[in-house]
Amino acid sequence: MDLKLSLSKSKYLRALRRSKQRRLLGKFVAEGKKICLEFIRDFPEQIEWIFLSPDFIETHNSQLQLVKDKLIPISNLELKEHSSLDSPPEILMIMDIPPALDLEALGPTPKVLYLDQIQDPGNAGTLLRTAAWFGLDAVVLGKGTVDPWNPKVVQASMGSVSRIPLLDQNLSELQLAIPDIPLVGLDMEGKSIWENPPPDSAILVLGNEGQGISEDLRKNLEFISIPRGPSSNVESLNASVAGAIAMSIWTK
């Protein structure tokens, strides 16, 4: 069995390392056993090609039957060369980027998470996963936020990039599409979220890990905060942790 990847597919995988090419081609790469098997089970129609080791085929043969015509066995060395993970996986795949969210499909009273300049892939992916867990209607990616199809975001989201509607949009455009919806920002100077949770339908804005919410967005927002414990001297919460707490309270 020839386990060397063809030059054309090698170039294809390399191209998908760049955000511009992912958007142009409408494709992204998923890596690792757990996330790939979930995609095979739940979204087989979105998969274009699956690159995997012969050992993986042997040990997961029954789970791969649905997509057997998309399998391309390659060596572990080739998998390592094309992986973005610290520990090379036994499987990676090229998938279709789902269609962007149609704002009209949201209806008049949605729960929307807005990410303002969230640049860390781990935080962004975790927030997408958490938003999907709590059943939010959409996540909107504001200017400066990391590409959700970045392999590290896909990995951190554990497949939630395909489970929750996503949209690139600035906040003013979003307001025009959903008029009169409350805009709530999570900020350390806001009112306590325990007494002032976001309205049932709202846009919840989370800001940059270091700088918080952008100055040009702040004038339109009502602010809430997650109070420290009475004996705490911790300066701040991680963005994904703060977002998870806020979403838990918002959706209870």
Side-chain angles (χ1 to χ4, degrees), residues 176-234:
L176 289 174
I178 318 172
D180 303 321
I181 191 168
L183 304 177
V184 180
L186 193 60
D187 185 88
M188 292 180 67
E189 303 304 319
K191 299 175 183 177
S192 169
I193 194 172
W194 311 127
E195 288 82 35
N196 301 274
D200 186 56
S201 175
I203 298 172
L204 177 62
V205 180
L206 299 186
N208 174 272
E209 294 88 345
Q211 304 301 318
I213 295 171
S214 303
E215 198 61 40
D216 61 327
L217 301 185
R218 297 182 67 85
K219 61 182 180 293
N220 298 316
L221 306 180
E222 293 288 333
F223 289 104
I224 56 173
S225 67
I226 300 169
R228 292 185 183 91
S231 61
S232 173
N233 59 2
V234 175

Side-chain angles (χ1 to χ4, degrees), residues 23-43:
R23 300 284 183 156
L24 181 65
L25 297 168
K27 306 288 182 181
F28 71 97
V29 175
E31 304 181 48
K33 173 183 173 180
K34 182 173 175 57
I35 190 171
C36 286
L37 288 178
E38 283 193 17
F39 277 138
I40 289 168
R41 182 191 67 206
D42 298 336
F43 304 104

Side-chain angles (χ1 to χ4, degrees), residues 49-230:
W49 297 111
I50 303 173
F51 307 94
L52 66 182
S53 70
D55 286 345
F56 194 91
I57 295 175
E58 185 175 341
T59 55
H60 298 85
N61 185 59
S62 61
Q63 293 158 288
L64 297 171
Q65 285 303 304
L66 189 62
V67 290
K68 61 184 179 181
D69 58 329
K70 302 178 181 183
L71 304 182
I72 300 179
I74 61 174
S75 68
N76 288 325
L77 188 62
E78 293 265 21
L79 283 163
K80 180 178 180 180
E81 181 180 342
H82 291 285
S83 173
S84 65
L85 303 180
D86 294 333
S87 299
E90 291 184 279
I91 180 172
L92 58 85
M93 57 176 61
I94 297 175
M95 297 191 62
D96 297 331
I97 292 176
L101 169 69
D102 179 357
L103 283 174
E104 292 185 3
L106 278 177
T109 57
K111 280 182 167 68
V112 177
L113 180 66
Y114 186 94
L115 304 185
D116 173 40
Q117 299 192 77
I118 298 292
Q119 297 170 349
D120 180 81
N123 280 340
T126 301
L127 285 165
L128 295 180
R129 184 179 184 183
T130 306
W133 174 264
F134 284 114
L136 268 62
D137 295 295
V139 176
V140 178
L141 306 145
K143 183 179 178 181
T145 292
V146 64
D147 178 12
W149 311 109
N150 175 308
K152 292 183 179 179
V153 178
V154 174
Q155 185 71 20
S157 82
M158 289 308 296
S160 293
V161 287
S162 289
R163 298 184 189 281
I164 187 164
L166 303 178
L167 181 67
D168 294 310
Q169 194 96 47
N170 66 47
L171 194 57
S172 59
E173 291 171 332
L174 196 57
Q175 281 182 278
L176 289 174
I178 318 172
D180 303 321
I181 191 168
L183 304 177
V184 180
L186 193 60
D187 185 88
M188 292 180 67
E189 303 304 319
K191 299 175 183 177
S192 169
I193 194 172
W194 311 127
E195 288 82 35
N196 301 274
D200 186 56
S201 175
I203 298 172
L204 177 62
V205 180
L206 299 186
N208 174 272
E209 294 88 345
Q211 304 301 318
I213 295 171
S214 303
E215 198 61 40
D216 61 327
L217 301 185
R218 297 182 67 85
K219 61 182 180 293
N220 298 316
L221 306 180
E222 293 288 333
F223 289 104
I224 56 173
S225 67
I226 300 169
R228 292 185 183 91

